[in-house]
Amino acid sequence: MAALSFVLAMLLRAPESWSEENTYALIVGTIIFAAVSAFVFFSLSLHKSVWRWSSTTDQMTVVRAATIAVFLFVPTMFVIGRLDGIGRSVPFIQWFVLVTLLSGSRFLYRWYMTRRGERSVFRQRTPILLLGTGEGAAIYLHALDATPGSAFYAVGILCDQGTLVGRSFNGVPVLGGAEDLEQVLVDLETHGIFAERMIVTKPLESLPAGLVGRLGGIARRHGVEIDTLPDLLSLRLGGGGVVATADEPMPVGAPRWLEVKRFLDVAVSAALLLFTAPISLLAAFLVLVEMGNPVLFRQVRPGHVLRPFTLLKFRSMRSPRSADGRLLSDQERTGMVGRFLRRTRLDEIPQLVNVLKGDMSFIGPRPLLPRDLADLADGGWERSRLRPGLTGWAQVNGGHQLSNPDKMALDLWYTRHASPWLDLKIVFLTIRMVIFGEKVNQAAIDEARAWLDHSGSAGSFEPAREVGQQAVV
């Protein structure tokens, strides 16, 4: 589809007189864009989404993947041939066509499979009413739409807010308010529809006092069973009960710098992905030769404000067990290619994709495993206020040679002192570390420890739960 989108864009913007230059641009551009798109789609795991159950999140991933692919394709073609033979509007048309092809094909496939399922599965369906027009109703109606041959179908909704009466909610009409249950049931029975069940899509305690009892009496007279969706799904919908949320982290360091930093992360990561593409292909080939598939190592880790994300790396270690089932040591699992990639940090090139997506930053606390965050008094919330980084204050002041408490102290110190000058210093120290190796900076550790003791940060390490130096990598 990626290659087809470029071909269609070129044809839609074809000049009146087609030249050899246009033909060359069409052939080369098709090949280049197919390669770039394959890399981007693979990096964003676009190929893993199940079309039958595609969601809004999947569609947003399609838009993001198409944007990144076109964004990388244009400078690549400029370097190769200065975009000769390619009209100025081609990239815009190309992006629109690509999004339409990717999203449209998923939509049509989902529609076709749903219709086929409805035709192939016939059963007597039970008419039901819903009470409430909030997120619970939306969840239930979407579930019904996605289930061909469901035993239930919604005939109407009773609104707990009278302003929506007469309108429709996800295609289902709002027949009246909650107080209108008796009249709604009579009207439906007049038309030969006998609702056997009513799903209350909100917590019962959120309904007006006395309403539940009245609704129960009416339902019994008409032989209607009442279920509550939050109880059926074990959900908490609407209302309080939330002590804290990770959606809006507290401001730390220099907030204005953090905004600029994100812009730099996007620009630099995109440029480096293009610049390091030959190195990445060579590294992937060497990993494939030495260790076989898969080339990439993927691991879910808590990220910014503890949201999980998939960390990407080139594999540097073989399977933990040999062919005869024997458990191998780390030294036995790491070959020559793996040692070289880890020593030069080239195994972390795929994390540029994480930076571009916003999962990570170039500089910040390293992303840890959940079991390592469990050793912190606050579960890692304090250090997660900033995006995890490719390199950080702990890495340039000792890295793997540090104990867990020292690493935590340095990370927490950085979250409270982030600034452009400190980040610039970390960049230069990272270059020195790659060339000369890791070196413990005891002065920086002592400063971070003293600050931590003085501030009493909630993110401090719990000594009673220390699990050793090798836990944090």
Side-chain angles (χ1 to χ4, degrees), residues 160-171:
D160 53 328
Q161 304 169 6
T163 56
L164 296 179
V165 175
R167 304 178 65 179
S168 63
F169 191 80
N170 200 41

Side-chain angles (χ1 to χ4, degrees), residues 258-421:
L258 297 181
E259 296 176 5
V260 176
K261 183 178 178 181
R262 178 59 194 144
F263 172 78
L264 294 175
D265 283 339
V266 172
V268 176
S269 61
L272 286 179
L273 277 171
L274 182 62
F275 178 76
T276 60
I279 301 175
S280 298
L281 291 174
L282 178 60
F285 174 75
L286 294 176
V287 170
L288 186 64
V289 170
E290 183 175 84
M291 287 170 273
N293 272 321
V295 171
L296 291 179
F297 170 76
R298 300 169 182 268
Q299 190 175 62
V300 176
R301 299 195 182 191
H304 186 215
V305 292
L306 298 180
R307 290 192 184 98
F309 75 99
T310 302
L311 180 80
L312 302 176
K313 282 187 175 184
F314 282 124
R315 281 182 64 200
S316 58
M317 303 180 76
R318 298 184 180 90
S319 173
R321 293 189 179 275
S322 62
D324 58 2
R326 183 175 61 88
L327 190 63
L328 302 176
S329 65
D330 288 351
Q331 185 175 2
E332 291 175 305
R333 295 174 59 194
T334 308
M336 181 177 65
V337 173
R339 284 192 294 270
F340 174 77
L341 292 177
R342 299 187 75 173
R343 172 66 182 82
T344 58
R345 307 285 173 143
L346 291 178
D347 62 323
E348 297 182 0
I349 288 180
Q351 289 175 42
L352 292 172
V353 176
N354 290 126
V355 175
L356 186 63
K357 291 169 59 179
D359 296 331
M360 297 178 64
S361 177
F362 277 103
I363 299 172
R366 286 295 292 167
L368 304 181
L369 293 169
R371 67 168 180 265
D372 299 323
L373 294 179
D375 294 316
L376 299 178
D378 66 343
W381 168 249
E382 180 82 9
R383 73 189 301 281
S384 75
R385 292 176 171 184
L386 297 180
R387 285 184 173 86
L390 292 177
T391 184
W393 192 234
Q395 278 63 48
V396 299
N397 285 299
H400 293 87
Q401 300 182 44
L402 300 177
S403 65
N404 280 0
D406 287 345
K407 287 183 179 181
M408 298 301 179
L410 289 167
D411 282 338
L412 291 170
W413 183 90
Y414 173 79
T415 62
R416 288 295 182 177
H417 297 83
S419 69
W421 313 116

Side-chain angles (χ1 to χ4, degrees), residues 59-72:
Q59 299 301 330
M60 292 304 298
T61 302
V62 165
V63 174
R64 186 164 65 249
T67 303
I68 295 173
V70 174
F71 181 80
L72 295 177

